[in-house]
Amino acid sequence: MKIGFIGLGNMGKPMAKNLIKAEHELTVFDVVPEVLAEFKKLGAVVGNSPADTASRSDLVITMLPNSPHVEEVLSGAKGVFEGARKGTLIIDMSSISPLVTKKMSQMAVEKGLRLIDAPVTGGVAGAEKGQLGIMVGASPKDLEAAKPIFEALGRFVHVGDVGTGQTAKMCNQVVVGLSLCAIAEAFTLGVKAGIDPTVLHQVLSSGSARSWAMEVRVPQVLAGNFEPGFMVNLQHKDICIALDSGKGLNVPLPFTALAQQAFEAARAMGLGTKDHSSVIQVYERITGIKVSEATKSEK
Ligand code: NAD
């Protein structure tokens, strides 16, 4: 398939590489020239705008940070809507507001195009291994057309109509954000009370406190490694999307609101581009301890 891929960051880069491995022909676009040079070496065509990228493609994938980036790339000047041929399928795999997804989908339909949402979970490791969890909002016909793409990138669940993939994703991010805050509280508490955090991790990993965050992020925290991964700024953005949706639907989300404040504090500490697990540094500052330095066993 001739695929246009726009947004080659932490996630988009390994995803686009997997599509090249699956023998699709790629035209790529990003605002960072270095990553484009890397893809040129891999045999991809480099588009000079989203419109140009779309004009060379049967299907366009976007993997961008947030709603405004998606709106600009799709409907802005030299955007995908300007260049795409009638009938082109656009798959937005970014995590954005479901309301913006619905608005973009409506605009696409008015231009004779099709747009579906397919945000992902599984992180950079999942993207690299082709093992992403993909949450799809699409009509059954559009889902059928997109299946070869999803199969090259991971496994998918058809959540429902356009926008429902984003709804599932924001619920996922409420759980992940709150889990990281719970972990930060538990580990600062345990360490301040004198327990070795490595031992605490063994205990909490083997019982009812088990989770993805416990399994994947805590070892990184204990190693003092806060490189993303998934940035604090993106986690904060996802939680704000959930809070906005809660407001619109009259659903109170008090614990999510507290988590939003913890990630806001991390941003205020200059940790916005660090991994979301660095929210623990907010608690470390308050309590005056450093969890990674409290490990007594060999690392
Ligand atoms: P990132 O910031 O690493 O990558 C975004 C890319 O988009 C960058 O390369 C940037 O240069 C490019 N970009 C920004 N504006 C652009 C524009 N106008 N035109 C072209 N390119 C543009 O972010 P990421 O971690 O890859 O995340 C992408 C999306 O996936 C986000 O919505 C995020 O919430 C979601 N997500 C990330 C992870 C993760 O672990 N990193 C996991 C699941 C979902």
Side-chain angles (χ1 to χ4, degrees), residues 14-24 26 127-130 152:
M15 289 163 70
K17 284 185 180 173
N18 280 336
L19 292 172
I20 292 175
K21 269 190 215 143
E23 299 189 348
H24 294 293
L26 257 67
E128 285 170 350
K129 290 182 202 146

Side-chain angles (χ1 to χ4, degrees), residues 23-45:
E23 299 189 348
H24 294 293
E25 285 177 47
L26 257 67
T27 302
V28 293
F29 183 73
D30 196 289
V31 287
V32 176
E34 292 76 21
V35 76
L36 295 176
E38 191 179 331
F39 273 87
K40 200 168 182 183
K41 280 191 200 145
L42 294 173
V45 175

Side-chain angles (χ1 to χ4, degrees), residues 6-13 29-32 35 50 63-66 69 72-73 93-96 119-124 132 169 173 217 228-231 234-235 237-238 276:
I6 303 174
L8 303 161
N10 288 328
M11 294 295 284
K13 188 156 104 168
F29 183 73
D30 196 289
V31 287
V32 176
V35 76
M63 192 56 172
L64 297 159
N66 198 359
H69 306 87
E72 185 201 325
V73 162
M93 303 192 77
S94 333
S95 308
I96 68 165
V120 303
T121 182
V124 174
L132 289 171
K169 174 67 186 179
Q173 293 307 88
R217 291 302 189 226
F230 185 66
M231 288 182 256
L234 294 176
Q235 178 71 64
K237 172 257 310 183
D238 288 342
H276 56 166

Side-chain angles (χ1 to χ4, degrees), residues 79 98 110 115 128 146 173 175 196 199 236 265 295:
E110 284 160 14
L115 184 144
E128 285 170 350
Q173 293 307 88
V175 175
D196 183 326
V199 176
H236 179 263
T295 297

Side-chain angles (χ1 to χ4, degrees), residues 30-204:
D30 196 289
V31 287
V32 176
E34 292 76 21
V35 76
L36 295 176
E38 191 179 331
F39 273 87
K40 200 168 182 183
K41 280 191 200 145
L42 294 173
V45 175
V46 172
N48 55 39
S49 67
D52 178 51
T53 304
S55 72
R56 298 165 189 271
S57 312
D58 302 323
L59 184 152
V60 177
I61 298 172
T62 46
M63 192 56 172
L64 297 159
N66 198 359
S67 306
H69 306 87
V70 173
E71 290 199 76
E72 185 201 325
V73 162
L74 295 181
S75 61
K78 295 194 181 165
V80 169
F81 290 166
E82 231 176 80
R85 292 188 293 270
K86 289 240 177 301
T88 299
L89 180 65
I90 302 159
I91 310 176
D92 180 33
M93 303 192 77
S94 333
S95 308
I96 68 165
S97 158
L99 295 177
V100 174
T101 297
K102 285 183 190 154
K103 179 173 137 196
M104 289 293 109
S105 167
Q106 188 54 42
M107 282 177 78
V109 168
E110 284 160 14
K111 292 178 186 301
L113 309 170
R114 301 175 288 159
L115 184 144
I116 66 175
D117 52 316
V120 303
T121 182
V124 174
E128 285 170 350
K129 290 182 202 146
Q131 290 177 357
L132 289 171
I134 306 168
M135 297 159 250
V136 188
S139 68
K141 185 168 164 255
D142 289 345
L143 173 68
E144 207 48 45
K147 262 188 193 167
I149 305 299
F150 298 149
E151 281 160 3
L153 299 177
R155 62 202 145 62
F156 69 88
V157 174
H158 185 200
V159 185
D161 290 340
V162 169
T164 57
Q166 296 295 357
T167 301
K169 174 67 186 179
M170 81 185 170
C171 296
N172 186 82
Q173 293 307 88
V174 165
V175 175
V176 173
L178 284 166
S179 303
L180 285 168
C181 291
I183 283 170
E185 289 193 2
F187 276 77
T188 42
L189 174 66
V191 167
K192 193 128 196 198
I195 307 182
D196 183 326
T198 307
V199 176
L200 185 59
H201 182 231
Q202 275 168 14
V203 176
L204 299 188

